[in-house]
């Protein structure tokens, strides 16, 4: 009598994999590690799609905000230049400021490319850290896992899209950033940090820890150490421009 094949060897549809990541992530990540070599395109497409979609539906709102911001600063700009702007110059400047290239194309391209680079960096960092702690994995397997664990951010993008369509507004203070107020470098950095913290981040980190244990065969404690350590490092590096910009603004404002 033939032996029954393990359940993880069964072929799974893309819809089944997406559902599995929601209800049985460890089991699904184990299957993907063993059989999902070419399946990473699915979460990659979803992540890119739901990064661009909120930008697309919110582009008219950002364009109107850009026009209003320019009008509010018009007098200051004219004082710095030393002459008043003609109506033609005003219309041309506002058209450029609120153009689709500024409000949609450049942010979308920059975000998608940055996300792909982030996948590579995360995969490389987790792969090297896993090897250093005695894990066994491949870079390709780690990369696939990292892309699949980005699904929470695709769900967040879907909610942002629905919010903008329903309210006609865009999300301004992301995460917990709305709890921080006040001038200075400290509040600016804290706001940048808390802006990254929300339920979708916690979901993503939980999936990432599970994925690291599956791919590297390390213990949950080591996987947690690797994941949180890399996230803190990447977050600190991402906040460096905020710190530098804040310090520069303070110095300029002091003169």
């Amino acid at each position: 009598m033939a032996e029954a094949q393990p359940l993880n060897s069964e072929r799974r549809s893309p819809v089944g994999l997406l559902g599995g990541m929601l209800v049985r992530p460890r089991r699904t990540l184990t299957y993907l590690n063993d059989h999902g070599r070419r399946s990473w395109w699915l979460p990659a497409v979803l992540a890119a799609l739901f990064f661009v979609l909120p930008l697309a539906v919110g582009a008219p709102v950002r364009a109107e905000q850009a026009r209003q911001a320019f009008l509010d600063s018009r007098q200051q700009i004219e004082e710095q230049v030393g002459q008043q702007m003609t109506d033609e110059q005003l219309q041309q400047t506002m058209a450029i400021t609120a153009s689709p290239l500024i409000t949609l194309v450049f942010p979308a391209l920059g975000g998608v490319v940055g996300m792909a680079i982030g996948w590579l960096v995360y995969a490389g960092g987790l792969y090297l850290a896993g090897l250093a702690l005695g894990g066994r994995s491949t870079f390709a397997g780690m990369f696939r896992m990292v892309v699949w664990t980005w699904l929470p951010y695709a769900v967040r993008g879907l909610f942002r899209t629905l919010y903008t369509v329903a309210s006609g507004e865009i999300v301004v203070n992301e995460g917990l950033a709305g709890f921080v107020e006040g001038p200075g470098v400290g509040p600016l950095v804290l706001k940048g940090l808390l802006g990254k913290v929300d339920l979708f981040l916690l979901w993503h980190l939980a999936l990432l820890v599970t994925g690291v244990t599956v791919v590297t065969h390390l213990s949950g404690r080591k996987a947690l150490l690797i994941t949180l350590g890399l996230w803190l490092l990447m977050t600190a590096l991402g906040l460096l421009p905020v710190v530098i910009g804040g310090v520069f603004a303070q110095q300029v404002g002091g003169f």
Side-chain angles (χ1 to χ4, degrees):
M1 184 175 179
E3 295 183 359
Q5 292 186 355
L7 186 59
N8 278 344
S9 65
E10 296 179 359
R11 298 281 297 178
R12 300 192 189 183
S13 66
V15 175
L17 291 173
L18 292 174
M21 287 296 295
L22 295 176
V23 297
R24 293 182 176 178
R26 186 180 186 89
R27 190 173 180 180
T28 304
L29 286 168
T30 301
Y31 171 86
L32 290 167
N33 187 52
D34 296 334
H35 306 287
R37 293 185 177 181
R38 297 182 181 179
S39 62
W40 64 269
W41 66 267
L42 176 60
V45 169
L46 289 176
L49 173 64
F50 286 109
F51 179 86
V52 174
L53 200 55
L55 293 176
V57 297
V61 180
R62 285 190 300 277
E64 182 58 32
Q65 290 177 344
R67 294 189 192 97
Q68 189 60 48
F70 176 76
L71 289 176
D72 292 341
S73 61
R74 176 184 177 181
Q75 183 177 356
Q76 183 180 358
I77 295 174
E78 289 177 341
E79 290 177 355
Q80 292 176 349
V81 175
Q83 63 179 10
Q84 290 187 342
M85 300 178 66
T86 64
D87 290 340
E88 183 179 358
Q89 290 175 329
L90 179 63
Q91 293 298 325
Q92 288 178 347
T93 305
M94 290 181 63
I96 294 174
T97 303
S99 70
L101 282 176
I102 302 298
T103 60
L104 176 59
V105 176
F106 289 157
L109 287 177
V112 172
V113 171
M115 185 164 52
I117 294 174
W119 292 338
L120 292 171
V121 173
Y122 261 91
L126 292 173
Y127 171 70
L128 293 176
L131 290 181
L133 292 182
R136 307 185 309 277
S137 64
T138 64
F139 176 80
M142 190 67 74
F143 176 79
R144 289 194 302 269
M145 183 274 294
V146 166
V147 177
W148 271 101
T149 60
W150 232 258
L151 279 177
Y153 293 134
V155 177
R156 183 176 66 183
L158 173 60
F159 278 109
R160 286 179 175 175
T161 303
L162 295 176
Y163 172 81
T164 301
V165 171
S167 67
E169 301 177 355
I170 59 176
V171 178
V172 178
N173 291 315
E174 299 182 352
L176 303 178
F179 292 100
V180 181
E181 295 181 359
V185 178
L188 191 63
V189 173
L190 184 59
K191 190 171 185 177
L193 174 62
L194 293 181
K196 301 178 182 296
V197 179
D198 56 19
L199 293 177
F200 298 100
L201 168 68
L202 300 180
W203 182 11
H204 164 66
L205 291 177
L207 290 179
L208 204 55
V209 171
T210 302
V212 170
T213 61
V214 169
V215 175
T216 64
H217 307 285
L218 291 171
S219 66
R221 182 177 298 181
K222 289 183 178 179
L224 180 62
L225 175 65
I226 291 172
T227 302
L228 291 183
L230 183 60
W231 181 81
L232 289 172
L233 175 61
M234 295 294 293
T235 301
L237 292 175
L239 290 174
L240 275 179
V242 178
V243 176
I244 295 173
V247 172
F248 178 76
Q250 275 191 342
Q251 291 178 346
V252 171
F255 285 109

PDB file of all heavy atoms in Angstrom, residues 14-41:
ATOM      1  N   PRO A  14      -2.527  30.014  -5.963  1.00  0.00           N
ATOM      2  CA  PRO A  14      -2.171  31.337  -5.413  1.00  0.00           C
ATOM      3  C   PRO A  14      -3.156  31.823  -4.365  1.00  0.00           C
ATOM      4  O   PRO A  14      -2.761  32.382  -3.336  1.00  0.00           O
ATOM      5  CB  PRO A  14      -2.165  32.232  -6.653  1.00  0.00           C
ATOM      6  CG  PRO A  14      -1.844  31.308  -7.782  1.00  0.00           C
ATOM      7  CD  PRO A  14      -2.512  30.018  -7.431  1.00  0.00           C
ATOM      8  N   VAL A  15      -4.446  31.602  -4.609  1.00  0.00           N
ATOM      9  CA  VAL A  15      -5.450  32.015  -3.628  1.00  0.00           C
ATOM     10  C   VAL A  15      -5.290  31.230  -2.334  1.00  0.00           C
ATOM     11  O   VAL A  15      -5.407  31.782  -1.229  1.00  0.00           O
ATOM     12  CB  VAL A  15      -6.870  31.830  -4.208  1.00  0.00           C
ATOM     13  CG1 VAL A  15      -7.921  32.148  -3.146  1.00  0.00           C
ATOM     14  CG2 VAL A  15      -7.074  32.705  -5.430  1.00  0.00           C
ATOM     15  N   GLY A  16      -4.983  29.942  -2.459  1.00  0.00           N
ATOM     16  CA  GLY A  16      -4.768  29.123  -1.273  1.00  0.00           C
ATOM     17  C   GLY A  16      -3.560  29.573  -0.478  1.00  0.00           C
ATOM     18  O   GLY A  16      -3.574  29.546   0.758  1.00  0.00           O
ATOM     19  N   LEU A  17      -2.501  29.994  -1.171  1.00  0.00           N
ATOM     20  CA  LEU A  17      -1.302  30.484  -0.481  1.00  0.00           C
ATOM     21  C   LEU A  17      -1.590  31.786   0.255  1.00  0.00           C
ATOM     22  O   LEU A  17      -1.143  31.975   1.393  1.00  0.00           O
ATOM     23  CB  LEU A  17      -0.173  30.687  -1.494  1.00  0.00           C
ATOM     24  CG  LEU A  17       0.410  29.417  -2.109  1.00  0.00           C
ATOM     25  CD1 LEU A  17       1.403  29.767  -3.212  1.00  0.00           C
ATOM     26  CD2 LEU A  17       1.099  28.566  -1.046  1.00  0.00           C
ATOM     27  N   LEU A  18      -2.341  32.675  -0.395  1.00  0.00           N
ATOM     28  CA  LEU A  18      -2.680  33.941   0.263  1.00  0.00           C
ATOM     29  C   LEU A  18      -3.548  33.692   1.494  1.00  0.00           C
ATOM     30  O   LEU A  18      -3.332  34.285   2.556  1.00  0.00           O
ATOM     31  CB  LEU A  18      -3.414  34.859  -0.713  1.00  0.00           C
ATOM     32  CG  LEU A  18      -2.590  35.402  -1.877  1.00  0.00           C
ATOM     33  CD1 LEU A  18      -3.476  36.178  -2.847  1.00  0.00           C
ATOM     34  CD2 LEU A  18      -1.467  36.292  -1.379  1.00  0.00           C
ATOM     35  N   GLY A  19      -4.519  32.808   1.353  1.00  0.00           N
ATOM     36  CA  GLY A  19      -5.347  32.463   2.500  1.00  0.00           C
ATOM     37  C   GLY A  19      -4.548  31.788   3.596  1.00  0.00           C
ATOM     38  O   GLY A  19      -4.769  32.036   4.784  1.00  0.00           O
ATOM     39  N   GLY A  20      -3.603  30.945   3.202  1.00  0.00           N
ATOM     40  CA  GLY A  20      -2.770  30.275   4.187  1.00  0.00           C
ATOM     41  C   GLY A  20      -1.909  31.227   4.978  1.00  0.00           C
ATOM     42  O   GLY A  20      -1.674  31.036   6.178  1.00  0.00           O
ATOM     43  N   MET A  21      -1.434  32.300   4.334  1.00  0.00           N
ATOM     44  CA  MET A  21      -0.640  33.290   5.047  1.00  0.00           C
ATOM     45  C   MET A  21      -1.482  34.033   6.087  1.00  0.00           C
ATOM     46  O   MET A  21      -0.947  34.563   7.061  1.00  0.00           O
ATOM     47  CB  MET A  21      -0.035  34.297   4.069  1.00  0.00           C
ATOM     48  CG  MET A  21       1.102  33.740   3.238  1.00  0.00           C
ATOM     49  SD  MET A  21       2.539  33.270   4.232  1.00  0.00           S
ATOM     50  CE  MET A  21       3.072  34.861   4.865  1.00  0.00           C
ATOM     51  N   LEU A  22      -2.788  34.047   5.900  1.00  0.00           N
ATOM     52  CA  LEU A  22      -3.667  34.717   6.855  1.00  0.00           C
ATOM     53  C   LEU A  22      -4.033  33.822   8.027  1.00  0.00           C
ATOM     54  O   LEU A  22      -4.070  34.280   9.175  1.00  0.00           O
ATOM     55  CB  LEU A  22      -4.948  35.185   6.152  1.00  0.00           C
ATOM     56  CG  LEU A  22      -4.791  36.260   5.071  1.00  0.00           C
ATOM     57  CD1 LEU A  22      -6.134  36.526   4.406  1.00  0.00           C
ATOM     58  CD2 LEU A  22      -4.250  37.546   5.669  1.00  0.00           C
ATOM     59  N   VAL A  23      -4.298  32.539   7.750  1.00  0.00           N
ATOM     60  CA  VAL A  23      -4.831  31.671   8.807  1.00  0.00           C
ATOM     61  C   VAL A  23      -3.818  30.668   9.336  1.00  0.00           C
ATOM     62  O   VAL A  23      -3.878  30.276  10.505  1.00  0.00           O
ATOM     63  CB  VAL A  23      -6.089  30.936   8.305  1.00  0.00           C
ATOM     64  CG1 VAL A  23      -7.194  31.927   7.980  1.00  0.00           C
ATOM     65  CG2 VAL A  23      -5.787  30.071   7.086  1.00  0.00           C
ATOM     66  N   ARG A  24      -2.887  30.225   8.508  1.00  0.00           N
ATOM     67  CA  ARG A  24      -1.872  29.262   8.936  1.00  0.00           C
ATOM     68  C   ARG A  24      -0.513  29.664   8.375  1.00  0.00           C
ATOM     69  O   ARG A  24       0.037  29.007   7.493  1.00  0.00           O
ATOM     70  CB  ARG A  24      -2.229  27.845   8.469  1.00  0.00           C
ATOM     71  CG  ARG A  24      -3.474  27.278   9.143  1.00  0.00           C
ATOM     72  CD  ARG A  24      -3.760  25.869   8.685  1.00  0.00           C
ATOM     73  NE  ARG A  24      -4.895  25.298   9.396  1.00  0.00           N
ATOM     74  CZ  ARG A  24      -5.383  24.077   9.161  1.00  0.00           C
ATOM     75  NH1 ARG A  24      -4.821  23.321   8.218  1.00  0.00           N
ATOM     76  NH2 ARG A  24      -6.414  23.630   9.846  1.00  0.00           N
ATOM     77  N   PRO A  25       0.048  30.761   8.875  1.00  0.00           N
ATOM     78  CA  PRO A  25       1.276  31.289   8.276  1.00  0.00           C
ATOM     79  C   PRO A  25       2.468  30.349   8.386  1.00  0.00           C
ATOM     80  O   PRO A  25       3.235  30.227   7.427  1.00  0.00           O
ATOM     81  CB  PRO A  25       1.513  32.592   9.050  1.00  0.00           C
ATOM     82  CG  PRO A  25       0.743  32.447  10.309  1.00  0.00           C
ATOM     83  CD  PRO A  25      -0.442  31.625   9.965  1.00  0.00           C
ATOM     84  N   ARG A  26       2.651  29.686   9.519  1.00  0.00           N
ATOM     85  CA  ARG A  26       3.819  28.808   9.670  1.00  0.00           C
ATOM     86  C   ARG A  26       3.746  27.635   8.697  1.00  0.00           C
ATOM     87  O   ARG A  26       4.736  27.296   8.052  1.00  0.00           O
ATOM     88  CB  ARG A  26       3.933  28.299  11.103  1.00  0.00           C
ATOM     89  CG  ARG A  26       5.221  27.493  11.327  1.00  0.00           C
ATOM     90  CD  ARG A  26       5.350  26.990  12.751  1.00  0.00           C
ATOM     91  NE  ARG A  26       6.643  26.371  12.951  1.00  0.00           N
ATOM     92  CZ  ARG A  26       7.730  27.014  13.334  1.00  0.00           C
ATOM     93  NH1 ARG A  26       7.680  28.315  13.579  1.00  0.00           N
ATOM     94  NH2 ARG A  26       8.876  26.372  13.476  1.00  0.00           N
ATOM     95  N   ARG A  27       2.597  27.038   8.609  1.00  0.00           N
ATOM     96  CA  ARG A  27       2.423  25.906   7.696  1.00  0.00           C
ATOM     97  C   ARG A  27       2.627  26.349   6.252  1.00  0.00           C
ATOM     98  O   ARG A  27       3.255  25.647   5.452  1.00  0.00           O
ATOM     99  CB  ARG A  27       1.017  25.334   7.885  1.00  0.00           C
ATOM    100  CG  ARG A  27       0.766  24.010   7.188  1.00  0.00           C
ATOM    101  CD  ARG A  27      -0.604  23.502   7.602  1.00  0.00           C
ATOM    102  NE  ARG A  27      -0.905  22.218   6.972  1.00  0.00           N
ATOM    103  CZ  ARG A  27      -2.040  21.567   7.181  1.00  0.00           C
ATOM    104  NH1 ARG A  27      -2.949  22.075   7.991  1.00  0.00           N
ATOM    105  NH2 ARG A  27      -2.267  20.420   6.572  1.00  0.00           N
ATOM    106  N   THR A  28       2.108  27.532   5.917  1.00  0.00           N
ATOM    107  CA  THR A  28       2.242  28.040   4.561  1.00  0.00           C
ATOM    108  C   THR A  28       3.687  28.415   4.246  1.00  0.00           C
ATOM    109  O   THR A  28       4.186  28.140   3.141  1.00  0.00           O
ATOM    110  CB  THR A  28       1.323  29.256   4.368  1.00  0.00           C
ATOM    111  OG1 THR A  28      -0.024  28.897   4.682  1.00  0.00           O
ATOM    112  CG2 THR A  28       1.385  29.755   2.930  1.00  0.00           C
ATOM    113  N   LEU A  29       4.371  29.043   5.186  1.00  0.00           N
ATOM    114  CA  LEU A  29       5.777  29.404   4.971  1.00  0.00           C
ATOM    115  C   LEU A  29       6.653  28.162   4.839  1.00  0.00           C
ATOM    116  O   LEU A  29       7.631  28.164   4.082  1.00  0.00           O
ATOM    117  CB  LEU A  29       6.265  30.282   6.120  1.00  0.00           C
ATOM    118  CG  LEU A  29       5.745  31.727   6.108  1.00  0.00           C
ATOM    119  CD1 LEU A  29       6.054  32.426   7.430  1.00  0.00           C
ATOM    120  CD2 LEU A  29       6.357  32.510   4.948  1.00  0.00           C
ATOM    121  N   THR A  30       6.308  27.107   5.561  1.00  0.00           N
ATOM    122  CA  THR A  30       7.042  25.845   5.412  1.00  0.00           C
ATOM    123  C   THR A  30       6.849  25.282   4.016  1.00  0.00           C
ATOM    124  O   THR A  30       7.805  24.830   3.365  1.00  0.00           O
ATOM    125  CB  THR A  30       6.566  24.825   6.464  1.00  0.00           C
ATOM    126  OG1 THR A  30       6.786  25.364   7.767  1.00  0.00           O
ATOM    127  CG2 THR A  30       7.329  23.516   6.328  1.00  0.00           C
ATOM    128  N   TYR A  31       5.620  25.313   3.529  1.00  0.00           N
ATOM    129  CA  TYR A  31       5.352  24.853   2.167  1.00  0.00           C
ATOM    130  C   TYR A  31       6.112  25.696   1.150  1.00  0.00           C
ATOM    131  O   TYR A  31       6.726  25.170   0.217  1.00  0.00           O
ATOM    132  CB  TYR A  31       3.852  24.914   1.888  1.00  0.00           C
ATOM    133  CG  TYR A  31       3.506  24.657   0.438  1.00  0.00           C
ATOM    134  CD1 TYR A  31       3.341  23.364  -0.033  1.00  0.00           C
ATOM    135  CD2 TYR A  31       3.374  25.714  -0.469  1.00  0.00           C
ATOM    136  CE1 TYR A  31       3.042  23.125  -1.371  1.00  0.00           C
ATOM    137  CE2 TYR A  31       3.077  25.482  -1.799  1.00  0.00           C
ATOM    138  CZ  TYR A  31       2.911  24.192  -2.243  1.00  0.00           C
ATOM    139  OH  TYR A  31       2.631  23.951  -3.564  1.00  0.00           O
ATOM    140  N   LEU A  32       6.070  27.013   1.320  1.00  0.00           N
ATOM    141  CA  LEU A  32       6.746  27.906   0.383  1.00  0.00           C
ATOM    142  C   LEU A  32       8.255  27.689   0.401  1.00  0.00           C
ATOM    143  O   LEU A  32       8.919  27.777  -0.641  1.00  0.00           O
ATOM    144  CB  LEU A  32       6.431  29.360   0.735  1.00  0.00           C
ATOM    145  CG  LEU A  32       4.993  29.803   0.453  1.00  0.00           C
ATOM    146  CD1 LEU A  32       4.705  31.145   1.120  1.00  0.00           C
ATOM    147  CD2 LEU A  32       4.754  29.890  -1.046  1.00  0.00           C
ATOM    148  N   ASN A  33       8.810  27.403   1.565  1.00  0.00           N
ATOM    149  CA  ASN A  33      10.247  27.148   1.654  1.00  0.00           C
ATOM    150  C   ASN A  33      10.640  25.880   0.904  1.00  0.00           C
ATOM    151  O   ASN A  33      11.741  25.799   0.345  1.00  0.00           O
ATOM    152  CB  ASN A  33      10.654  27.030   3.122  1.00  0.00           C
ATOM    153  CG  ASN A  33      12.163  26.944   3.299  1.00  0.00           C
ATOM    154  OD1 ASN A  33      12.901  27.776   2.794  1.00  0.00           O
ATOM    155  ND2 ASN A  33      12.625  25.922   4.012  1.00  0.00           N
ATOM    156  N   ASP A  34       9.741  24.917   0.870  1.00  0.00           N
ATOM    157  CA  ASP A  34      10.039  23.637   0.217  1.00  0.00           C
ATOM    158  C   ASP A  34       9.634  23.607  -1.251  1.00  0.00           C
ATOM    159  O   ASP A  34      10.306  22.957  -2.063  1.00  0.00           O
ATOM    160  CB  ASP A  34       9.314  22.500   0.954  1.00  0.00           C
ATOM    161  CG  ASP A  34       9.813  22.324   2.376  1.00  0.00           C
ATOM    162  OD1 ASP A  34      10.974  22.694   2.643  1.00  0.00           O
ATOM    163  OD2 ASP A  34       9.037  21.839   3.227  1.00  0.00           O
ATOM    164  N   HIS A  35       8.528  24.302  -1.593  1.00  0.00           N
ATOM    165  CA  HIS A  35       7.973  24.135  -2.939  1.00  0.00           C
ATOM    166  C   HIS A  35       7.665  25.439  -3.664  1.00  0.00           C
ATOM    167  O   HIS A  35       7.258  25.398  -4.826  1.00  0.00           O
ATOM    168  CB  HIS A  35       6.666  23.321  -2.863  1.00  0.00           C
ATOM    169  CG  HIS A  35       6.813  22.018  -2.147  1.00  0.00           C
ATOM    170  ND1 HIS A  35       7.458  20.930  -2.688  1.00  0.00           N
ATOM    171  CD2 HIS A  35       6.413  21.643  -0.900  1.00  0.00           C
ATOM    172  CE1 HIS A  35       7.431  19.929  -1.829  1.00  0.00           C
ATOM    173  NE2 HIS A  35       6.814  20.334  -0.731  1.00  0.00           N
ATOM    174  N   GLY A  36       7.813  26.582  -3.012  1.00  0.00           N
ATOM    175  CA  GLY A  36       7.350  27.833  -3.618  1.00  0.00           C
ATOM    176  C   GLY A  36       8.438  28.654  -4.256  1.00  0.00           C
ATOM    177  O   GLY A  36       8.511  29.863  -4.039  1.00  0.00           O
ATOM    178  N   ARG A  37       9.299  28.031  -5.057  1.00  0.00           N
ATOM    179  CA  ARG A  37      10.453  28.746  -5.598  1.00  0.00           C
ATOM    180  C   ARG A  37      10.081  29.910  -6.497  1.00  0.00           C
ATOM    181  O   ARG A  37      10.780  30.926  -6.515  1.00  0.00           O
ATOM    182  CB  ARG A  37      11.341  27.764  -6.371  1.00  0.00           C
ATOM    183  CG  ARG A  37      11.991  26.719  -5.480  1.00  0.00           C
ATOM    184  CD  ARG A  37      12.946  25.851  -6.261  1.00  0.00           C
ATOM    185  NE  ARG A  37      13.619  24.887  -5.387  1.00  0.00           N
ATOM    186  CZ  ARG A  37      14.523  24.014  -5.786  1.00  0.00           C
ATOM    187  NH1 ARG A  37      14.868  23.976  -7.077  1.00  0.00           N
ATOM    188  NH2 ARG A  37      15.073  23.179  -4.936  1.00  0.00           N
ATOM    189  N   ARG A  38       9.021  29.782  -7.266  1.00  0.00           N
ATOM    190  CA  ARG A  38       8.658  30.846  -8.206  1.00  0.00           C
ATOM    191  C   ARG A  38       7.398  31.595  -7.783  1.00  0.00           C
ATOM    192  O   ARG A  38       6.844  32.352  -8.574  1.00  0.00           O
ATOM    193  CB  ARG A  38       8.446  30.254  -9.603  1.00  0.00           C
ATOM    194  CG  ARG A  38       9.706  29.613 -10.184  1.00  0.00           C
ATOM    195  CD  ARG A  38       9.435  29.085 -11.575  1.00  0.00           C
ATOM    196  NE  ARG A  38      10.623  28.453 -12.139  1.00  0.00           N
ATOM    197  CZ  ARG A  38      10.672  27.884 -13.349  1.00  0.00           C
ATOM    198  NH1 ARG A  38       9.601  27.883 -14.117  1.00  0.00           N
ATOM    199  NH2 ARG A  38      11.787  27.331 -13.776  1.00  0.00           N
ATOM    200  N   SER A  39       6.977  31.405  -6.565  1.00  0.00           N
ATOM    201  CA  SER A  39       5.715  31.990  -6.129  1.00  0.00           C
ATOM    202  C   SER A  39       5.863  33.402  -5.568  1.00  0.00           C
ATOM    203  O   SER A  39       4.862  34.064  -5.309  1.00  0.00           O
ATOM    204  CB  SER A  39       5.073  31.100  -5.054  1.00  0.00           C
ATOM    205  OG  SER A  39       5.922  31.023  -3.919  1.00  0.00           O
ATOM    206  N   TRP A  40       7.098  33.884  -5.398  1.00  0.00           N
ATOM    207  CA  TRP A  40       7.283  35.181  -4.755  1.00  0.00           C
ATOM    208  C   TRP A  40       6.762  36.344  -5.586  1.00  0.00           C
ATOM    209  O   TRP A  40       6.546  37.437  -5.060  1.00  0.00           O
ATOM    210  CB  TRP A  40       8.763  35.397  -4.418  1.00  0.00           C
ATOM    211  CG  TRP A  40       9.651  35.473  -5.623  1.00  0.00           C
ATOM    212  CD1 TRP A  40      10.301  34.429  -6.221  1.00  0.00           C
ATOM    213  CD2 TRP A  40       9.981  36.635  -6.374  1.00  0.00           C
ATOM    214  NE1 TRP A  40      11.018  34.876  -7.302  1.00  0.00           N
ATOM    215  CE2 TRP A  40      10.839  36.230  -7.418  1.00  0.00           C
ATOM    216  CE3 TRP A  40       9.647  37.976  -6.258  1.00  0.00           C
ATOM    217  CZ2 TRP A  40      11.358  37.122  -8.348  1.00  0.00           C
ATOM    218  CZ3 TRP A  40      10.159  38.880  -7.184  1.00  0.00           C
ATOM    219  CH2 TRP A  40      11.005  38.435  -8.213  1.00  0.00           C
ATOM    220  N   TRP A  41       6.552  36.112  -6.889  1.00  0.00           N
ATOM    221  CA  TRP A  41       6.041  37.189  -7.739  1.00  0.00           C
ATOM    222  C   TRP A  41       4.659  37.653  -7.289  1.00  0.00           C
ATOM    223  O   TRP A  41       4.316  38.836  -7.434  1.00  0.00           O
ATOM    224  CB  TRP A  41       5.968  36.732  -9.205  1.00  0.00           C
ATOM    225  CG  TRP A  41       4.969  35.635  -9.439  1.00  0.00           C
ATOM    226  CD1 TRP A  41       5.195  34.290  -9.427  1.00  0.00           C
ATOM    227  CD2 TRP A  41       3.560  35.803  -9.695  1.00  0.00           C
ATOM    228  NE1 TRP A  41       4.024  33.605  -9.655  1.00  0.00           N
ATOM    229  CE2 TRP A  41       3.008  34.501  -9.827  1.00  0.00           C
ATOM    230  CE3 TRP A  41       2.726  36.904  -9.823  1.00  0.00           C
ATOM    231  CZ2 TRP A  41       1.656  34.284 -10.073  1.00  0.00           C
ATOM    232  CZ3 TRP A  41       1.364  36.686 -10.067  1.00  0.00           C
ATOM    233  CH2 TRP A  41       0.857  35.389 -10.198  1.00  0.00           C
TER     234      TRP A  41
END
